[in-house]
Amino acid sequence: MGHSVAQWTNALLAQMPRGVLWQRATSLDLYKYTQGYAPRLERAEQSADNLLLEMRPETTLELLEDWEDYLGLPECVAEPVSSIEYRRYAVVEKYHRKGGLQAWNIQKLATDLGFTVEVDETFPHHCLRSCTYPLWEQKYRYILRVNVYGIPGAYMTCLDDILTPLLTSDARVLECTLQRYKVGGLFYEFYYAV
């Protein structure tokens, strides 16, 4: 897509005045002078081509930190150093985020962050439901059950050593992000399945 050094040299020579002092022979100093600027222009053009990839959060690499600053990320820090892949997931998710806190939207938010989840909403029993519908207490109306798949050892167990964190970094990111955007009075119960 970019121009070569020879093409840039010819373009620079085309901008020079014409005359006896401005001869364009390849052995003369004017040609060598413009040939010295051509590699810089070639690198600038390549850098500009790479900048096209940085315009979208899905393909950014060099400007990832600027995207994070623009979007107010990280919202939840799991580890001092997060992987570039996770950071890009977070940037893309927040950049394309639409409103809403329904169960399906919470599930989409977690999926966009790279997690496999299923959100179950518990509704209280009333006279229009079938007789086989469970009798949940009213307090369960405000609790969403979030089943997370693919994080087998999310919580520390009594068999782990002292250096094992109470909650793995992946699970901490998911829980922190969902807790940050929950509606007042709504609670989450997280269940981690293999």
Side-chain angles (χ1 to χ4, degrees):
M1 187 173 179
H3 298 86
S4 66
V5 173
Q7 290 172 323
W8 276 113
T9 303
N10 291 333
L12 288 171
L13 285 173
Q15 302 301 317
M16 299 289 182
R18 301 209 176 261
V20 178
L21 295 175
W22 302 96
Q23 295 182 10
R24 289 161 169 75
T26 58
S27 61
L28 296 177
D29 290 337
L30 180 62
Y31 185 85
K32 292 176 185 175
Y33 178 74
T34 55
Q35 195 176 22
Y37 279 105
R40 291 182 185 176
L41 293 172
E42 182 186 32
R43 285 193 303 272
E45 187 176 28
Q46 287 173 351
S47 178
D49 288 344
N50 291 339
L51 193 59
L52 289 173
L53 296 174
E54 301 296 324
M55 293 175 61
R56 302 289 302 159
E58 293 86 356
T59 56
T60 189
L61 186 63
E62 294 178 25
L63 295 179
L64 185 58
E65 190 171 321
D66 293 335
W67 275 102
E68 288 175 334
D69 290 343
Y70 170 69
L71 295 170
L73 293 171
E75 294 173 331
C76 302
V77 179
E79 295 290 328
V81 179
S82 296
S83 71
I84 289 178
E85 181 181 348
Y86 163 72
R87 291 171 56 202
R88 190 180 294 141
Y89 272 143
V91 166
V92 169
E93 185 279 320
K94 186 156 185 185
Y95 183 73
H96 295 292
R97 182 181 296 162
K98 304 274 191 289
L101 293 169
Q102 299 87 354
W104 65 268
N105 207 350
I106 293 168
Q107 185 170 337
K108 184 181 180 311
L109 173 88
T111 303
D112 290 344
L113 285 172
F115 297 97
T116 305
V117 301
E118 182 181 313
V119 180
D120 296 326
E121 197 168 4
T122 305
F123 296 103
H125 192 4
H126 57 75
C127 61
L128 297 177
R129 296 203 191 276
S130 73
C131 293
T132 59
Y133 192 83
L135 295 173
W136 298 102
E137 293 182 44
Q138 183 62 26
K139 68 179 181 179
Y140 289 107
R141 172 65 184 100
Y142 303 105
I143 296 176
L144 291 179
R145 180 182 172 137
V146 181
N147 298 311
V148 184
Y149 304 101
I151 306 177
Y155 290 111
M156 178 184 180
T157 65
C158 60
L159 300 176
D160 292 328
D161 63 13
I162 195 161
L163 297 176
T164 303
L166 295 177
L167 188 64
T168 63
S169 61
D170 290 343
R172 191 177 308 127
V173 167
L174 177 65
E175 288 189 16
C176 179
T177 303
L178 291 182
Q179 293 291 351
R180 184 177 177 126
Y181 292 105
K182 72 176 184 171
V183 176
L186 187 68
F187 301 96
Y188 297 119
E189 285 182 356
F190 292 93
Y191 295 93
Y192 293 93
V194 178

